[in-house]
Amino acid sequence: MKRIYTVLSVILLVGAAAGCASAGSAAGSSGTKTNQNLITAAELDAGGFRNAYDVVQRLRPNWFTKAGSAPSQTLGGVSPGGSPATGGSGLVVYLDKTRMGGVAALRDLTASGIGSMEFMDASTAQAKLPGIGSSVITGAIVVHSR
């Protein structure tokens, strides 16, 4: 009977060790979990990016679809149904705390001047960013300069 308990104990220990090992590998090679709503300076420095649009397209393409504003669905940052006269709708772009426009504004921001970038969902953007007011948006990309 003692031998059965010993075997079961060894099996449990091996299983626990395997579980811990697989949980650690999910965090990434650096041991830290990547924040999918943030692009860091280290990520920017590692790539040869032309502009902010290129950065998002290559590192976080889901930002475009997460906000329901895939580039193919927007015209100058205004989603179908939105209008420039009313502030448009869809994904908005900010440089620091200044509203730049829609997705197309990302093409005007050179990668070398970017310190970090972050994605905000619509409710977070409404609460934290100036100039949105009652505009209907689906999210915001905030570019922080170096």
Side-chain angles (χ1 to χ4, degrees):
M1 195 69 167
K2 187 174 178 181
R3 186 176 184 142
I4 291 173
Y5 288 122
T6 304
V7 171
L8 287 175
S9 297
V10 169
I11 290 171
L12 287 174
L13 285 173
V14 169
C20 289
S22 66
S25 65
S29 61
S30 65
T32 59
K33 195 171 181 184
T34 302
N35 181 348
Q36 289 300 306
N37 289 330
L38 180 67
I39 297 173
T40 63
E43 290 177 285
L44 289 161
D45 293 340
F49 305 106
R50 295 182 308 269
N51 54 40
Y53 183 91
D54 189 31
V55 170
V56 175
Q57 186 68 26
R58 292 192 349 200
L59 296 178
R60 303 289 191 284
N62 62 325
W63 287 5
F64 292 134
T65 56
K66 202 165 28 170
S69 277
S72 62
Q73 297 174 335
T74 60
L75 300 170
V78 178
S79 297
S83 96
T86 61
S89 63
L91 189 61
V92 294
V93 174
Y94 277 73
L95 176 60
D96 297 318
K97 293 286 185 176
T98 304
R99 188 171 178 167
M100 302 300 291
V103 174
L106 291 171
R107 295 186 189 276
D108 297 331
L109 302 172
T110 60
S112 62
I114 300 171
S116 65
M117 298 174 75
E118 71 178 301
F119 176 82
M120 294 182 184
D121 61 32
S123 59
T124 303
Q126 288 276 359
K128 290 186 174 185
L129 298 173
I132 293 179
S134 61
S135 296
V136 177
I137 65 166
T138 56
I141 294 176
V142 181
V143 178
H144 301 283
S145 57
R146 288 191 188 251

